[in-house]
Amino acid sequence: MFANIEYLSTFIFIHTFSHILIKELEFLTGYPATSLSERLYVNEENMQGVLIYTMAGAEGSFGGLVSQANSERFLKILNSALARAKDCASDPICYNSEGQGIGGLNLACCYSCGLLPETSCEEFNSYLDRALLIDNEFGFYS
Ligand SMILES: [Zn+2]
Ligand SMILES: [Zn+2]
């Protein structure tokens, strides 16, 4: 699935980005993460995208969710999601992990911080690492 390391790290980045956004939306709107799902659009030709959508028959305040969908709100959500991503109840163990979750495929990501309900994740909660986003040395948003 991952022919090169650049693609793998891009995939992990986009995937973790998607998870922290869904978690933040749940926190902000009260819309349960179990009713949200992700679709990742990543390829080796520089495509990086995330679709977060509600599942059929989902409950919650749909209006509250829709009102978040504009560029100004989005920046606030992202900033707040990144701040929250720095704080896992299992840190520093989680942050310094050398492999956790199914098959040890996650690094800095666990149920306390970045994992989603099974139905929300298209990758079985694998290939996740908060450090790619927030690490002080190499994180994209450091
Ligand atoms: Zn964690
Ligand atoms: Zn996922």
Side-chain angles (χ1 to χ4, degrees):
M1 180 180 178
F2 297 107
N4 70 64
I5 191 76
E6 220 170 280
Y7 175 45
L8 173 61
S9 37
T10 303
F11 188 89
I12 292 173
F13 176 90
I14 295 295
H15 191 202
T16 311
F17 179 89
S18 166
H19 276 222
I20 67 166
L21 279 182
I22 289 177
K23 286 200 156 277
E24 190 62 25
L25 286 169
E26 178 177 48
F27 183 82
L28 278 177
T29 66
Y31 201 90
T34 45
S35 302
L36 293 172
S37 200
E38 69 184 348
R39 183 82 181 90
L40 306 173
Y41 299 91
V42 184
N43 70 14
E44 289 176 82
E45 277 90 56
N46 225 16
M47 174 171 75
Q48 292 115 29
V50 175
L51 171 69
I52 295 171
Y53 61 97
T54 57
M55 287 183 274
E59 306 163 33
S61 58
F62 188 65
L65 191 64
V66 169
S67 71
Q68 306 299 314
N70 63 66
S71 49
E72 196 185 311
R73 282 297 307 160
F74 181 77
L75 276 180
K76 284 183 185 155
I77 293 167
L78 178 59
N79 280 328
S80 163
L82 289 168
R84 204 178 305 281
K86 288 183 180 158
D87 191 27
C88 169
S90 300
D91 278 342
I93 293 168
C94 176
Y95 200 82
N96 296 315
S97 168
E98 290 177 5
Q100 55 182 329
I102 304 165
L105 288 170
N106 294 330
L107 292 177
C109 206
C110 72
Y111 272 107
S112 301
C113 54
L115 302 197
L116 293 176
E118 253 172 64
T119 48
S120 303
C121 180
E122 67 167 37
E123 294 293 331
F124 307 101
N125 277 314
S126 294
Y127 304 108
L128 295 159
D129 181 14
R130 289 177 294 138
L132 282 181
L133 283 78
I134 57 163
D135 192 83
N136 286 330
E137 272 176 51
F138 57 80
F140 187 79
Y141 296 107
S142 62

